[in-house]
Amino acid sequence: MGKGTLVALLRERLPRLGLTVSATTREPRPGEEDGVAYYFLTEDEFDRRVAAGEFLEWAWVHGHRYGTLREEVERVTGQGRSVVLEIDVQGGLNVREALPDAVLVFIEAPSAEELERRLRGRGTEDEASIERRLAGAREEMACAPRYDVRIVNDDLERALGELMSTIEKYENNGGLPEDVCDQA
Ligand code: 5GP
């Protein structure tokens, strides 16, 4: 029911959106395949790719490194398709620097309690990881005002609808909302 579910459903509903696979140094969870969920890299391999300039952005998230590979994004945008990146706030703000047309959408959990319930319900994280993720979410909230759009993920269908209409609106307007000059 979290951000990952929302983005997975978005990709089902709008299959024309491009798929990218991020790289990470965290361990795979059971069932996560290399090259599908993520490219699971060793610390050395991640370092090598950072040094080679292969990342559009990368960041430390919950004690591990995660990054978007340039070639993943270029492959999709080169086909004239829009791409959705599910990344943390540091990554989001760095992507905006690199690609000023990027539209930043902040997906908000309905409450800290609900986020904790979702994390525990997933059953894949240990206590330390849950605590780290909750603290991270509180820090991320401070960046929400810098985003273009905020969507509260309380009701999955409603949040998905808002996300789809946001994408359609920005795609049709070449990056600017219709009402950009109407705002006081
Ligand atoms: P997880 O470990 O649950 O798969 O991912 C944790 C968080 O890492 C995600 O919610 C997302 O915000 C962030 N993340 C995943 N991929 C990337 C990436 O390529 N770049 C950045 N900056 N963050 C990412």
Side-chain angles (χ1 to χ4, degrees):
M1 247 298 277
K3 224 170 8 157
T5 314
L6 189 61
V7 173
L9 280 175
L10 174 70
R11 286 171 166 161
E12 261 174 39
R13 299 281 175 90
L14 295 181
R16 64 188 163 75
L17 292 176
L19 272 181
T20 60
V21 179
S22 290
T24 184
T25 56
R26 87 148 159 74
E27 292 292 313
R29 296 189 187 119
E32 282 185 338
E33 236 178 279
D34 186 39
V36 180
Y38 285 103
Y39 297 110
F40 293 100
L41 305 184
T42 61
E43 297 289 343
D44 283 352
E45 182 61 12
F46 203 98
D47 284 341
R48 192 191 65 71
R49 291 185 180 221
V50 170
E54 290 184 25
F55 285 104
L56 177 66
E57 62 75 34
W58 69 271
W60 284 96
V61 186
H62 319 311
H64 302 285
R65 286 187 289 176
Y66 294 80
T68 309
L69 294 159
R70 286 180 197 282
E71 72 172 9
E72 286 283 310
V73 174
E74 284 161 8
R75 183 173 46 78
V76 175
T77 54
Q79 298 164 345
R81 299 197 287 160
S82 297
V83 62
V84 173
L85 305 176
E86 192 225 313
I87 61 181
D88 88 309
V89 292
Q90 308 158 80
L93 295 169
N94 286 336
V95 166
R96 176 186 270 158
E97 294 286 309
L99 305 172
D101 279 349
V103 178
L104 268 55
V105 180
F106 195 97
I107 308 291
E108 238 170 276
S111 66
E113 293 73 29
E114 175 60 17
L115 179 62
E116 183 165 359
R117 206 184 59 76
R118 288 179 189 177
L119 280 174
R120 292 192 190 282
R122 188 156 77 182
T124 53
E125 311 301 318
D126 60 26
E127 188 58 31
S129 169
I130 289 173
E131 293 299 329
R132 205 161 49 222
R133 281 165 187 265
L134 288 172
R138 280 194 291 274
E139 282 168 21
E140 291 210 321
M141 277 302 293
C143 289
R146 297 180 62 188
Y147 272 55
D148 300 299
V149 178
R150 287 168 76 156
I151 296 177
V152 180
N153 188 15
D154 47 3
D155 176 279
L156 191 56
E157 271 306 318
R158 210 217 66 253
L160 183 60
E162 274 185 38
L163 191 52
M164 285 168 55
S165 52
T166 300
I167 291 169
E168 280 157 1
K169 175 170 152 181
Y170 277 87
E171 279 184 338
N172 292 335
N173 287 284
L176 282 179
E178 264 163 34
D179 56 355
V180 72
C181 296
D182 297 337
Q183 286 159 8

